[in-house]
Amino acid sequence: MGKQKESHELKVRRTMKDKSETKSETKFISTISHKLRTPLNAIIGFSELLLDQVYGELNEKQTHYLKNINSSGKNLLVFLNDLIDLLNLKWGEVRLEYSDFSLSQAINQAQMSVKAFAEQKNVSLEVKDDSNLLTIKADENKFMKILHHLLSNAVKFTPPGGKVEITTRYLKGPEFNPSSLFPTPCVEISVVDNGIGIKPEDQERIFSEFYQVDSTLSQDFEGTGLGLSLAKELVRLHQGKIWVESEEGKGSKFTFVIPLDE
Amino acid sequence: MAGEKVLLVDDTRLNRELAKDILEIEGYKVIEAGNGKEALNRARQNNPDIILLDIELPDINGLEVAKLLKEDPQTRGIPIVALTAHHQPDDQSSFLAAGCVGFISKPFDIKTFPKMLANFLK
């Protein structure tokens, strides 16, 4: 009894310590975010204001340099947002906010978030929604982030003229489908591209932070290097699974499955 | 946008300058404040149509400033929009709880920034 009580107290104390640590880490992350965001506001904003030429005409070189400053600032902001998300997922406090939302609308919105990038690269985006699900229950915001990261990864590694397709399936529980990974009904979303593909030995590693398969590629495929690890963390938070099937030179298929019961 | 008066509160000079320039291009009259105390004084003296309030201020926290403005009958009716570089979901509910009608996060897009402000003025 005594021993049991002691271990219980120890556990309580440890949980309390963990909580206060999480709190100070959350504060730390929030401070970094604030400190970096404030000067970025000036970098992005002033360069944009000058590019608008409200204060006079710019010559070609000035426009070019200002565009460089502006797009670097924006890239840094995307990186900062991804980094803050990842730090919060790893060290901070992240809660899922479940709600019922329209699957097709969420897919649409995620698609919109990469539309400009896809158009700029001449990559077409398509959706094949076979799930017949009107609504699903998940954290809508985080669900869209998962999809956004998979889509932007797919567009990034697909050559001009290529195609990125989103497919969905509804998976019943094992009583209907013994091969199902989950005991409860799930939704399965895949993002399929016909891009450069991934070697078998790299297929697990690409979910690690900053891991890029070939560093010589990173010049051409500039990104934050955090998208896939963020997607993985967000899927894990939903008690789901994410994996990739791929063949070099032919393309990749990223799939995630999340249970539909909270 | 017929010359509405905006009280712009931000302790970072560069960000204040940026927001002021954007708003003046759009035809707003801008009054500036660099800390919480100034914000309270200017709000009482100038009776602005709307207040853009940075949350991280050196003297009085922006949330506290918002509460004080909402307690004062003279300034109670002025809509306050939090202007913030914070990005945590918890922050957002605290802005509303302090009496803000909404928030604009930094960095803001210079095209959407005046549109968002105009929406809050409707």
Side-chain angles (χ1 to χ4, degrees), chain A residues 55-72:
Chain A
Y55 299 110
E57 237 172 84
L58 299 168
N59 67 35
E60 212 175 301
K61 199 80 177 168
Q62 289 166 332
T63 305
H64 179 66
Y65 281 3
L66 279 169
K67 278 186 177 162
N68 287 348
I69 295 170
N70 189 260
S71 65
S72 298

Side-chain angles (χ1 to χ4, degrees), chain A residues 102-108 126-136 143 165-170 187-190:
Chain A
S102 153
L103 178 62
S104 63
Q105 264 181 34
I107 291 175
N108 240 325
E126 283 170 32
V127 182
K128 217 168 131 229
D129 187 357
D130 291 330
S131 70
N132 291 319
L133 288 166
L134 290 177
T135 62
I136 64 168
F143 178 86
E165 190 179 42
I166 305 165
T167 63
T168 72
R169 275 203 307 161
Y170 172 63
V187 62
E188 182 191 86
I189 317 270
S190 298

Side-chain angles (χ1 to χ4, degrees), chain A residues 46-245:
Chain A
F46 282 118
S47 55
E48 216 154 277
L49 211 49
L50 283 177
L51 279 167
D52 270 2
Q53 315 209 28
V54 256
Y55 299 110
E57 237 172 84
L58 299 168
N59 67 35
E60 212 175 301
K61 199 80 177 168
Q62 289 166 332
T63 305
H64 179 66
Y65 281 3
L66 279 169
K67 278 186 177 162
N68 287 348
I69 295 170
N70 189 260
S71 65
S72 298
K74 282 181 175 164
N75 287 342
L76 200 53
L77 180 62
V78 171
F79 176 70
L80 174 64
N81 286 338
D82 282 0
L83 182 68
I84 296 300
D85 278 355
L86 191 71
L87 292 179
N88 271 322
L89 282 164
K90 295 222 167 222
W91 298 337
E93 227 174 332
V94 178
R95 285 180 301 263
L96 287 183
E97 281 164 36
Y98 276 90
S99 66
D100 291 303
F101 59 89
S102 153
L103 178 62
S104 63
Q105 264 181 34
I107 291 175
N108 240 325
Q109 263 180 285
Q111 221 185 342
M112 288 302 289
S113 72
V114 295
K115 201 177 158 226
F117 181 35
E119 274 170 4
Q120 180 201 325
K121 276 203 70 181
N122 189 25
V123 168
S124 66
L125 295 170
E126 283 170 32
V127 182
K128 217 168 131 229
D129 187 357
D130 291 330
S131 70
N132 291 319
L133 288 166
L134 290 177
T135 62
I136 64 168
K137 198 181 187 109
D139 183 313
E140 186 176 8
N141 198 357
K142 295 189 175 65
F143 178 86
M144 281 194 300
K145 275 190 177 170
I146 299 168
L147 207 47
H148 165 81
H149 289 304
L150 294 184
L151 283 172
S152 85
N153 183 70
V155 173
K156 200 189 316 172
F157 292 103
T158 301
K163 185 175 89 171
V164 170
E165 190 179 42
I166 305 165
T167 63
T168 72
R169 275 203 307 161
Y170 172 63
L171 305 178
K172 291 175 180 169
E175 63 273 36
F176 305 106
N177 175 11
S179 67
S180 171
L181 287 160
F182 296 92
T184 50
C186 295
V187 62
E188 182 191 86
I189 317 270
S190 298
V191 173
V192 191
D193 66 63
N194 55 6
I196 58 171
I198 309 150
K199 284 189 206 130
E201 61 266 35
D202 289 321
Q203 289 177 10
E204 191 55 40
R205 278 185 286 184
I206 51 162
F207 290 101
S208 324
E209 294 98 59
F210 302 121
Y211 186 78
Q212 280 188 318
V213 169
D214 181 350
S215 55
T216 58
L217 286 178
S218 53
Q219 284 286 318
D220 295 331
F221 301 104
E222 207 179 323
T224 70
L226 296 176
L228 290 179
S229 48
L230 269 170
K232 189 183 173 184
E233 289 292 325
L234 291 168
V235 169
R236 195 180 53 86
L237 213 59
H238 278 92
Q239 317 289 333
K241 276 202 168 30
I242 185 168
W243 66 91
V244 62
E245 298 152 81

